[in-house]
């Protein structure tokens, strides 16, 4: 399967993404957790390039292989903190909004708000949304894992 787009994104688009990344990383959320959020969204959406990229980023941020292998089953493992679990629950609820799924309920939001500041919640929400965008672009264009963008 070959990627469908052959040219680089426009400079305006690249600048916009850089500003979004800057806003996310200024939100006070640990980069390692942002990588895990990116990974969980990408697992749900079946986006191999983003799964690849998030694992690479998480490892560079000091994440262990054991925890990376268990993100997909975070509810059934002892490897994650309550804070991380709240972030994963928010991540899943915000990503799975199709076919009558309830989306982010008050319970899910309040659980996350119990662990994160408003600024951090904004950064997490933007990370989830931006990852969903990248997943959709990559799935649309048949982008493959392991490439350097």
């Amino acid at each position: 399967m070959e990627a469908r787009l052959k040219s680089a994104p426009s400079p305006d688009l690249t600048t916009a993404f850089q500003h979004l990344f800057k806003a996310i990383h200024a939100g006070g959320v640990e980069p390692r957790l942002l990588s895990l959020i990116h990974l969980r969204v990408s697992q749900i959406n079946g986006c191999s390039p983003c799964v690849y990229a998030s694992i690479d980023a998480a490892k560079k941020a000091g994440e262990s292989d054991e925890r990376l292998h268990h993100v997909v089953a975070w509810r059934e493992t002892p490897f994650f903190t309550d804070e991380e679990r709240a972030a994963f629950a928010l991540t899943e609820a915000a990503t799975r909004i199709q076919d009558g799924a309830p989306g982010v309920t008050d319970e899910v939001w309040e659980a996350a708000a119990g662990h994160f500041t408003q600024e951090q919640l904004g950064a997490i929400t933007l990370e989830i949304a931006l990852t969903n965008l990248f997943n959709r672009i990559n799935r649309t264009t048949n982008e493959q894992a392991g490439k350097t963008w």
Side-chain angles (χ1 to χ4, degrees):
M1 183 170 13
E2 189 174 325
R4 292 178 179 157
L5 290 179
K6 306 290 187 223
S7 62
S10 76
D12 289 340
L13 185 58
T14 301
T15 299
F17 285 144
Q18 289 171 340
H19 286 292
L20 290 170
F21 285 131
K22 185 177 178 181
I24 290 167
H25 289 282
V29 178
E30 183 181 352
R32 198 169 60 127
L33 179 55
L34 291 173
S35 295
L36 295 178
I37 290 167
H38 190 95
L39 174 59
R40 187 65 195 119
V41 171
S42 300
Q43 289 172 333
I44 292 167
N45 291 327
C47 181
S48 67
C50 286
V51 167
Y52 181 90
S54 58
I55 289 172
D56 186 55
K59 284 184 173 187
K60 287 177 182 172
E63 191 54 76
S64 72
D65 285 339
E66 182 175 52
R67 284 170 39 99
L68 287 169
H69 289 299
H70 288 90
V71 168
V72 72
W74 63 270
R75 285 181 181 87
E76 290 80 30
T77 66
F79 305 121
F80 302 101
T81 66
D82 289 342
E83 177 182 77
E84 291 165 333
R85 291 174 186 282
F88 289 149
L90 178 60
T91 297
E92 289 186 3
T95 299
R96 292 186 166 135
I97 57 173
Q98 77 294 343
D99 301 326
V104 179
T105 62
D106 289 342
E107 178 181 78
V108 168
W109 184 262
E110 289 167 11
H115 293 280
F116 300 101
T117 67
Q118 287 295 304
E119 185 177 43
Q120 290 171 321
L121 285 169
I124 289 169
T125 300
L126 188 54
E127 177 68 26
I128 294 165
L130 189 58
T131 302
N132 272 288
L133 171 66
F134 286 144
N135 291 170
R136 280 151 181 77
I137 291 170
N138 288 332
R139 293 295 303 264
T140 300
T141 63
N142 285 335
E143 193 64 43
Q144 295 296 295
K147 293 175 74 175
T148 303
W149 295 284

PDB file of all heavy atoms in Angstrom, residues 62-92:
ATOM      1  N   GLY A  62      11.153   8.256  28.424  1.00  0.00           N
ATOM      2  CA  GLY A  62      11.468   7.381  29.547  1.00  0.00           C
ATOM      3  C   GLY A  62      10.428   6.321  29.870  1.00  0.00           C
ATOM      4  O   GLY A  62      10.507   5.674  30.912  1.00  0.00           O
ATOM      5  N   GLU A  63       9.475   6.105  28.979  1.00  0.00           N
ATOM      6  CA  GLU A  63       8.433   5.118  29.240  1.00  0.00           C
ATOM      7  C   GLU A  63       8.987   3.704  29.080  1.00  0.00           C
ATOM      8  O   GLU A  63       9.849   3.452  28.240  1.00  0.00           O
ATOM      9  CB  GLU A  63       7.260   5.337  28.278  1.00  0.00           C
ATOM     10  CG  GLU A  63       6.032   4.551  28.626  1.00  0.00           C
ATOM     11  CD  GLU A  63       5.557   4.773  30.047  1.00  0.00           C
ATOM     12  OE1 GLU A  63       4.960   5.827  30.310  1.00  0.00           O
ATOM     13  OE2 GLU A  63       5.803   3.889  30.903  1.00  0.00           O
ATOM     14  N   SER A  64       8.462   2.779  29.888  1.00  0.00           N
ATOM     15  CA  SER A  64       8.918   1.389  29.846  1.00  0.00           C
ATOM     16  C   SER A  64       8.141   0.581  28.806  1.00  0.00           C
ATOM     17  O   SER A  64       6.977   0.880  28.502  1.00  0.00           O
ATOM     18  CB  SER A  64       8.736   0.724  31.219  1.00  0.00           C
ATOM     19  OG  SER A  64       7.359   0.499  31.483  1.00  0.00           O
ATOM     20  N   ASP A  65       8.797  -0.454  28.292  1.00  0.00           N
ATOM     21  CA  ASP A  65       8.133  -1.351  27.351  1.00  0.00           C
ATOM     22  C   ASP A  65       6.924  -2.015  28.005  1.00  0.00           C
ATOM     23  O   ASP A  65       5.891  -2.181  27.359  1.00  0.00           O
ATOM     24  CB  ASP A  65       9.098  -2.430  26.856  1.00  0.00           C
ATOM     25  CG  ASP A  65      10.101  -1.920  25.843  1.00  0.00           C
ATOM     26  OD1 ASP A  65       9.831  -0.872  25.212  1.00  0.00           O
ATOM     27  OD2 ASP A  65      11.164  -2.550  25.690  1.00  0.00           O
ATOM     28  N   GLU A  66       7.060  -2.394  29.259  1.00  0.00           N
ATOM     29  CA  GLU A  66       5.964  -3.062  29.967  1.00  0.00           C
ATOM     30  C   GLU A  66       4.695  -2.215  29.946  1.00  0.00           C
ATOM     31  O   GLU A  66       3.612  -2.704  29.618  1.00  0.00           O
ATOM     32  CB  GLU A  66       6.380  -3.363  31.404  1.00  0.00           C
ATOM     33  CG  GLU A  66       5.324  -4.103  32.197  1.00  0.00           C
ATOM     34  CD  GLU A  66       5.829  -4.469  33.569  1.00  0.00           C
ATOM     35  OE1 GLU A  66       6.323  -3.571  34.290  1.00  0.00           O
ATOM     36  OE2 GLU A  66       5.725  -5.656  33.911  1.00  0.00           O
ATOM     37  N   ARG A  67       4.821  -0.947  30.280  1.00  0.00           N
ATOM     38  CA  ARG A  67       3.648  -0.071  30.288  1.00  0.00           C
ATOM     39  C   ARG A  67       3.130   0.185  28.873  1.00  0.00           C
ATOM     40  O   ARG A  67       1.923   0.189  28.641  1.00  0.00           O
ATOM     41  CB  ARG A  67       3.971   1.238  31.009  1.00  0.00           C
ATOM     42  CG  ARG A  67       4.004   1.055  32.518  1.00  0.00           C
ATOM     43  CD  ARG A  67       4.549   2.262  33.262  1.00  0.00           C
ATOM     44  NE  ARG A  67       4.167   3.549  32.763  1.00  0.00           N
ATOM     45  CZ  ARG A  67       3.186   4.319  33.264  1.00  0.00           C
ATOM     46  NH1 ARG A  67       2.465   3.896  34.270  1.00  0.00           N
ATOM     47  NH2 ARG A  67       2.949   5.503  32.737  1.00  0.00           N
ATOM     48  N   LEU A  68       4.034   0.364  27.913  1.00  0.00           N
ATOM     49  CA  LEU A  68       3.606   0.581  26.531  1.00  0.00           C
ATOM     50  C   LEU A  68       2.807  -0.599  25.994  1.00  0.00           C
ATOM     51  O   LEU A  68       1.809  -0.413  25.302  1.00  0.00           O
ATOM     52  CB  LEU A  68       4.811   0.856  25.635  1.00  0.00           C
ATOM     53  CG  LEU A  68       5.453   2.221  25.811  1.00  0.00           C
ATOM     54  CD1 LEU A  68       6.788   2.295  25.081  1.00  0.00           C
ATOM     55  CD2 LEU A  68       4.516   3.315  25.345  1.00  0.00           C
ATOM     56  N   HIS A  69       3.222  -1.799  26.337  1.00  0.00           N
ATOM     57  CA  HIS A  69       2.513  -2.994  25.872  1.00  0.00           C
ATOM     58  C   HIS A  69       1.136  -3.134  26.510  1.00  0.00           C
ATOM     59  O   HIS A  69       0.294  -3.872  25.984  1.00  0.00           O
ATOM     60  CB  HIS A  69       3.331  -4.254  26.154  1.00  0.00           C
ATOM     61  CG  HIS A  69       4.547  -4.390  25.296  1.00  0.00           C
ATOM     62  ND1 HIS A  69       4.496  -4.488  23.925  1.00  0.00           N
ATOM     63  CD2 HIS A  69       5.864  -4.424  25.622  1.00  0.00           C
ATOM     64  CE1 HIS A  69       5.719  -4.593  23.448  1.00  0.00           C
ATOM     65  NE2 HIS A  69       6.563  -4.549  24.439  1.00  0.00           N
ATOM     66  N   HIS A  70       0.906  -2.443  27.606  1.00  0.00           N
ATOM     67  CA  HIS A  70      -0.361  -2.608  28.321  1.00  0.00           C
ATOM     68  C   HIS A  70      -1.316  -1.426  28.213  1.00  0.00           C
ATOM     69  O   HIS A  70      -2.391  -1.458  28.803  1.00  0.00           O
ATOM     70  CB  HIS A  70      -0.070  -2.942  29.785  1.00  0.00           C
ATOM     71  CG  HIS A  70       0.465  -4.320  29.948  1.00  0.00           C
ATOM     72  ND1 HIS A  70       1.807  -4.603  29.910  1.00  0.00           N
ATOM     73  CD2 HIS A  70      -0.166  -5.504  30.100  1.00  0.00           C
ATOM     74  CE1 HIS A  70       1.987  -5.896  30.048  1.00  0.00           C
ATOM     75  NE2 HIS A  70       0.808  -6.472  30.159  1.00  0.00           N
ATOM     76  N   VAL A  71      -0.962  -0.408  27.456  1.00  0.00           N
ATOM     77  CA  VAL A  71      -1.876   0.725  27.285  1.00  0.00           C
ATOM     78  C   VAL A  71      -3.217   0.252  26.732  1.00  0.00           C
ATOM     79  O   VAL A  71      -4.272   0.700  27.174  1.00  0.00           O
ATOM     80  CB  VAL A  71      -1.254   1.825  26.394  1.00  0.00           C
ATOM     81  CG1 VAL A  71      -2.280   2.862  25.974  1.00  0.00           C
ATOM     82  CG2 VAL A  71      -0.093   2.496  27.134  1.00  0.00           C
ATOM     83  N   VAL A  72      -3.188  -0.657  25.802  1.00  0.00           N
ATOM     84  CA  VAL A  72      -4.419  -1.150  25.179  1.00  0.00           C
ATOM     85  C   VAL A  72      -5.334  -1.836  26.204  1.00  0.00           C
ATOM     86  O   VAL A  72      -6.551  -1.864  26.024  1.00  0.00           O
ATOM     87  CB  VAL A  72      -4.102  -2.082  23.985  1.00  0.00           C
ATOM     88  CG1 VAL A  72      -3.543  -3.417  24.451  1.00  0.00           C
ATOM     89  CG2 VAL A  72      -5.308  -2.253  23.094  1.00  0.00           C
ATOM     90  N   ALA A  73      -4.772  -2.363  27.273  1.00  0.00           N
ATOM     91  CA  ALA A  73      -5.546  -3.051  28.312  1.00  0.00           C
ATOM     92  C   ALA A  73      -5.385  -2.350  29.660  1.00  0.00           C
ATOM     93  O   ALA A  73      -5.320  -2.998  30.706  1.00  0.00           O
ATOM     94  CB  ALA A  73      -5.103  -4.507  28.400  1.00  0.00           C
ATOM     95  N   TRP A  74      -5.361  -1.031  29.655  1.00  0.00           N
ATOM     96  CA  TRP A  74      -5.055  -0.255  30.860  1.00  0.00           C
ATOM     97  C   TRP A  74      -6.000  -0.542  32.024  1.00  0.00           C
ATOM     98  O   TRP A  74      -5.603  -0.453  33.188  1.00  0.00           O
ATOM     99  CB  TRP A  74      -5.029   1.234  30.535  1.00  0.00           C
ATOM    100  CG  TRP A  74      -6.327   1.808  30.052  1.00  0.00           C
ATOM    101  CD1 TRP A  74      -6.763   1.885  28.751  1.00  0.00           C
ATOM    102  CD2 TRP A  74      -7.355   2.392  30.842  1.00  0.00           C
ATOM    103  NE1 TRP A  74      -8.000   2.480  28.695  1.00  0.00           N
ATOM    104  CE2 TRP A  74      -8.395   2.812  29.968  1.00  0.00           C
ATOM    105  CE3 TRP A  74      -7.523   2.615  32.214  1.00  0.00           C
ATOM    106  CZ2 TRP A  74      -9.558   3.421  30.402  1.00  0.00           C
ATOM    107  CZ3 TRP A  74      -8.685   3.234  32.656  1.00  0.00           C
ATOM    108  CH2 TRP A  74      -9.684   3.624  31.762  1.00  0.00           C
ATOM    109  N   ARG A  75      -7.239  -0.893  31.746  1.00  0.00           N
ATOM    110  CA  ARG A  75      -8.197  -1.160  32.830  1.00  0.00           C
ATOM    111  C   ARG A  75      -7.852  -2.434  33.604  1.00  0.00           C
ATOM    112  O   ARG A  75      -8.176  -2.551  34.778  1.00  0.00           O
ATOM    113  CB  ARG A  75      -9.610  -1.299  32.261  1.00  0.00           C
ATOM    114  CG  ARG A  75     -10.241  -0.007  31.867  1.00  0.00           C
ATOM    115  CD  ARG A  75     -11.671  -0.259  31.337  1.00  0.00           C
ATOM    116  NE  ARG A  75     -12.299   0.971  30.935  1.00  0.00           N
ATOM    117  CZ  ARG A  75     -12.181   1.515  29.733  1.00  0.00           C
ATOM    118  NH1 ARG A  75     -11.440   0.923  28.816  1.00  0.00           N
ATOM    119  NH2 ARG A  75     -12.788   2.643  29.437  1.00  0.00           N
ATOM    120  N   GLU A  76      -7.234  -3.386  32.936  1.00  0.00           N
ATOM    121  CA  GLU A  76      -6.975  -4.702  33.522  1.00  0.00           C
ATOM    122  C   GLU A  76      -5.567  -4.872  34.068  1.00  0.00           C
ATOM    123  O   GLU A  76      -5.186  -5.977  34.425  1.00  0.00           O
ATOM    124  CB  GLU A  76      -7.238  -5.801  32.477  1.00  0.00           C
ATOM    125  CG  GLU A  76      -8.694  -5.982  32.114  1.00  0.00           C
ATOM    126  CD  GLU A  76      -9.209  -4.957  31.108  1.00  0.00           C
ATOM    127  OE1 GLU A  76      -8.412  -4.476  30.280  1.00  0.00           O
ATOM    128  OE2 GLU A  76     -10.409  -4.628  31.173  1.00  0.00           O
ATOM    129  N   THR A  77      -4.784  -3.808  34.103  1.00  0.00           N
ATOM    130  CA  THR A  77      -3.399  -3.934  34.547  1.00  0.00           C
ATOM    131  C   THR A  77      -3.128  -3.043  35.757  1.00  0.00           C
ATOM    132  O   THR A  77      -3.828  -2.053  35.980  1.00  0.00           O
ATOM    133  CB  THR A  77      -2.422  -3.526  33.425  1.00  0.00           C
ATOM    134  OG1 THR A  77      -2.592  -2.137  33.168  1.00  0.00           O
ATOM    135  CG2 THR A  77      -2.664  -4.330  32.166  1.00  0.00           C
ATOM    136  N   PRO A  78      -2.092  -3.366  36.516  1.00  0.00           N
ATOM    137  CA  PRO A  78      -1.740  -2.552  37.678  1.00  0.00           C
ATOM    138  C   PRO A  78      -0.697  -1.475  37.370  1.00  0.00           C
ATOM    139  O   PRO A  78      -0.199  -0.830  38.280  1.00  0.00           O
ATOM    140  CB  PRO A  78      -1.140  -3.593  38.634  1.00  0.00           C
ATOM    141  CG  PRO A  78      -0.461  -4.573  37.720  1.00  0.00           C
ATOM    142  CD  PRO A  78      -1.362  -4.642  36.502  1.00  0.00           C
ATOM    143  N   PHE A  79      -0.383  -1.253  36.108  1.00  0.00           N
ATOM    144  CA  PHE A  79       0.772  -0.449  35.736  1.00  0.00           C
ATOM    145  C   PHE A  79       0.532   1.054  35.662  1.00  0.00           C
ATOM    146  O   PHE A  79       1.474   1.802  35.417  1.00  0.00           O
ATOM    147  CB  PHE A  79       1.338  -0.924  34.398  1.00  0.00           C
ATOM    148  CG  PHE A  79       1.664  -2.388  34.388  1.00  0.00           C
ATOM    149  CD1 PHE A  79       1.054  -3.234  33.479  1.00  0.00           C
ATOM    150  CD2 PHE A  79       2.577  -2.918  35.287  1.00  0.00           C
ATOM    151  CE1 PHE A  79       1.342  -4.585  33.468  1.00  0.00           C
ATOM    152  CE2 PHE A  79       2.868  -4.269  35.286  1.00  0.00           C
ATOM    153  CZ  PHE A  79       2.249  -5.110  34.368  1.00  0.00           C
ATOM    154  N   PHE A  80      -0.701   1.516  35.840  1.00  0.00           N
ATOM    155  CA  PHE A  80      -1.015   2.922  35.628  1.00  0.00           C
ATOM    156  C   PHE A  80      -1.587   3.563  36.881  1.00  0.00           C
ATOM    157  O   PHE A  80      -2.315   2.932  37.636  1.00  0.00           O
ATOM    158  CB  PHE A  80      -1.972   3.076  34.434  1.00  0.00           C
ATOM    159  CG  PHE A  80      -1.405   2.504  33.175  1.00  0.00           C
ATOM    160  CD1 PHE A  80      -1.814   1.257  32.711  1.00  0.00           C
ATOM    161  CD2 PHE A  80      -0.415   3.182  32.477  1.00  0.00           C
ATOM    162  CE1 PHE A  80      -1.259   0.707  31.572  1.00  0.00           C
ATOM    163  CE2 PHE A  80       0.146   2.634  31.336  1.00  0.00           C
ATOM    164  CZ  PHE A  80      -0.274   1.402  30.885  1.00  0.00           C
ATOM    165  N   THR A  81      -1.255   4.835  37.063  1.00  0.00           N
ATOM    166  CA  THR A  81      -1.746   5.591  38.216  1.00  0.00           C
ATOM    167  C   THR A  81      -3.208   5.978  38.014  1.00  0.00           C
ATOM    168  O   THR A  81      -3.739   5.898  36.899  1.00  0.00           O
ATOM    169  CB  THR A  81      -0.925   6.884  38.407  1.00  0.00           C
ATOM    170  OG1 THR A  81      -1.175   7.745  37.276  1.00  0.00           O
ATOM    171  CG2 THR A  81       0.570   6.604  38.535  1.00  0.00           C
ATOM    172  N   ASP A  82      -3.839   6.433  39.089  1.00  0.00           N
ATOM    173  CA  ASP A  82      -5.221   6.913  38.976  1.00  0.00           C
ATOM    174  C   ASP A  82      -5.306   8.103  38.018  1.00  0.00           C
ATOM    175  O   ASP A  82      -6.264   8.225  37.262  1.00  0.00           O
ATOM    176  CB  ASP A  82      -5.767   7.301  40.350  1.00  0.00           C
ATOM    177  CG  ASP A  82      -6.022   6.089  41.233  1.00  0.00           C
ATOM    178  OD1 ASP A  82      -6.105   4.956  40.713  1.00  0.00           O
ATOM    179  OD2 ASP A  82      -6.135   6.286  42.460  1.00  0.00           O
ATOM    180  N   GLU A  83      -4.307   8.962  38.047  1.00  0.00           N
ATOM    181  CA  GLU A  83      -4.256  10.103  37.138  1.00  0.00           C
ATOM    182  C   GLU A  83      -4.208   9.634  35.674  1.00  0.00           C
ATOM    183  O   GLU A  83      -4.960  10.136  34.829  1.00  0.00           O
ATOM    184  CB  GLU A  83      -3.022  10.951  37.459  1.00  0.00           C
ATOM    185  CG  GLU A  83      -2.817  12.133  36.538  1.00  0.00           C
ATOM    186  CD  GLU A  83      -1.559  12.898  36.880  1.00  0.00           C
ATOM    187  OE1 GLU A  83      -0.453  12.414  36.534  1.00  0.00           O
ATOM    188  OE2 GLU A  83      -1.681  13.974  37.484  1.00  0.00           O
ATOM    189  N   GLU A  84      -3.355   8.676  35.389  1.00  0.00           N
ATOM    190  CA  GLU A  84      -3.249   8.151  34.030  1.00  0.00           C
ATOM    191  C   GLU A  84      -4.544   7.458  33.608  1.00  0.00           C
ATOM    192  O   GLU A  84      -5.004   7.615  32.470  1.00  0.00           O
ATOM    193  CB  GLU A  84      -2.069   7.179  33.926  1.00  0.00           C
ATOM    194  CG  GLU A  84      -0.729   7.877  34.047  1.00  0.00           C
ATOM    195  CD  GLU A  84       0.428   6.932  34.317  1.00  0.00           C
ATOM    196  OE1 GLU A  84       0.219   5.843  34.912  1.00  0.00           O
ATOM    197  OE2 GLU A  84       1.552   7.287  33.929  1.00  0.00           O
ATOM    198  N   ARG A  85      -5.160   6.730  34.513  1.00  0.00           N
ATOM    199  CA  ARG A  85      -6.426   6.058  34.211  1.00  0.00           C
ATOM    200  C   ARG A  85      -7.521   7.080  33.886  1.00  0.00           C
ATOM    201  O   ARG A  85      -8.319   6.863  32.971  1.00  0.00           O
ATOM    202  CB  ARG A  85      -6.847   5.165  35.371  1.00  0.00           C
ATOM    203  CG  ARG A  85      -5.956   3.961  35.557  1.00  0.00           C
ATOM    204  CD  ARG A  85      -6.316   3.156  36.826  1.00  0.00           C
ATOM    205  NE  ARG A  85      -5.351   2.106  37.027  1.00  0.00           N
ATOM    206  CZ  ARG A  85      -5.322   0.955  36.357  1.00  0.00           C
ATOM    207  NH1 ARG A  85      -6.215   0.715  35.428  1.00  0.00           N
ATOM    208  NH2 ARG A  85      -4.405   0.053  36.610  1.00  0.00           N
ATOM    209  N   ALA A  86      -7.551   8.175  34.626  1.00  0.00           N
ATOM    210  CA  ALA A  86      -8.533   9.228  34.333  1.00  0.00           C
ATOM    211  C   ALA A  86      -8.276   9.831  32.954  1.00  0.00           C
ATOM    212  O   ALA A  86      -9.219  10.108  32.207  1.00  0.00           O
ATOM    213  CB  ALA A  86      -8.484  10.307  35.418  1.00  0.00           C
ATOM    214  N   ALA A  87      -7.008  10.001  32.605  1.00  0.00           N
ATOM    215  CA  ALA A  87      -6.665  10.527  31.276  1.00  0.00           C
ATOM    216  C   ALA A  87      -7.057   9.539  30.187  1.00  0.00           C
ATOM    217  O   ALA A  87      -7.588   9.938  29.139  1.00  0.00           O
ATOM    218  CB  ALA A  87      -5.171  10.839  31.200  1.00  0.00           C
ATOM    219  N   PHE A  88      -6.831   8.249  30.408  1.00  0.00           N
ATOM    220  CA  PHE A  88      -7.220   7.237  29.420  1.00  0.00           C
ATOM    221  C   PHE A  88      -8.739   7.174  29.252  1.00  0.00           C
ATOM    222  O   PHE A  88      -9.242   7.030  28.139  1.00  0.00           O
ATOM    223  CB  PHE A  88      -6.703   5.857  29.809  1.00  0.00           C
ATOM    224  CG  PHE A  88      -5.210   5.679  29.682  1.00  0.00           C
ATOM    225  CD1 PHE A  88      -4.543   4.820  30.538  1.00  0.00           C
ATOM    226  CD2 PHE A  88      -4.463   6.343  28.721  1.00  0.00           C
ATOM    227  CE1 PHE A  88      -3.171   4.626  30.436  1.00  0.00           C
ATOM    228  CE2 PHE A  88      -3.095   6.161  28.605  1.00  0.00           C
ATOM    229  CZ  PHE A  88      -2.447   5.296  29.473  1.00  0.00           C
ATOM    230  N   ALA A  89      -9.468   7.271  30.356  1.00  0.00           N
ATOM    231  CA  ALA A  89     -10.936   7.244  30.265  1.00  0.00           C
ATOM    232  C   ALA A  89     -11.443   8.435  29.460  1.00  0.00           C
ATOM    233  O   ALA A  89     -12.330   8.298  28.607  1.00  0.00           O
ATOM    234  CB  ALA A  89     -11.550   7.222  31.660  1.00  0.00           C
ATOM    235  N   LEU A  90     -10.879   9.607  29.709  1.00  0.00           N
ATOM    236  CA  LEU A  90     -11.245  10.804  28.938  1.00  0.00           C
ATOM    237  C   LEU A  90     -10.863  10.620  27.468  1.00  0.00           C
ATOM    238  O   LEU A  90     -11.648  10.942  26.569  1.00  0.00           O
ATOM    239  CB  LEU A  90     -10.555  12.034  29.529  1.00  0.00           C
ATOM    240  CG  LEU A  90     -10.794  13.362  28.823  1.00  0.00           C
ATOM    241  CD1 LEU A  90     -12.277  13.722  28.813  1.00  0.00           C
ATOM    242  CD2 LEU A  90      -9.980  14.465  29.494  1.00  0.00           C
ATOM    243  N   THR A  91      -9.691  10.079  27.238  1.00  0.00           N
ATOM    244  CA  THR A  91      -9.208   9.835  25.871  1.00  0.00           C
ATOM    245  C   THR A  91     -10.168   8.929  25.108  1.00  0.00           C
ATOM    246  O   THR A  91     -10.558   9.236  23.972  1.00  0.00           O
ATOM    247  CB  THR A  91      -7.805   9.204  25.923  1.00  0.00           C
ATOM    248  OG1 THR A  91      -6.905  10.126  26.532  1.00  0.00           O
ATOM    249  CG2 THR A  91      -7.306   8.814  24.545  1.00  0.00           C
ATOM    250  N   GLU A  92     -10.549   7.833  25.716  1.00  0.00           N
ATOM    251  CA  GLU A  92     -11.445   6.894  25.046  1.00  0.00           C
ATOM    252  C   GLU A  92     -12.823   7.497  24.813  1.00  0.00           C
ATOM    253  O   GLU A  92     -13.404   7.337  23.739  1.00  0.00           O
ATOM    254  CB  GLU A  92     -11.542   5.602  25.844  1.00  0.00           C
ATOM    255  CG  GLU A  92     -10.274   4.793  25.772  1.00  0.00           C
ATOM    256  CD  GLU A  92     -10.381   3.429  26.440  1.00  0.00           C
ATOM    257  OE1 GLU A  92     -11.471   3.059  26.935  1.00  0.00           O
ATOM    258  OE2 GLU A  92      -9.358   2.725  26.461  1.00  0.00           O
TER     259      GLU A  92
END
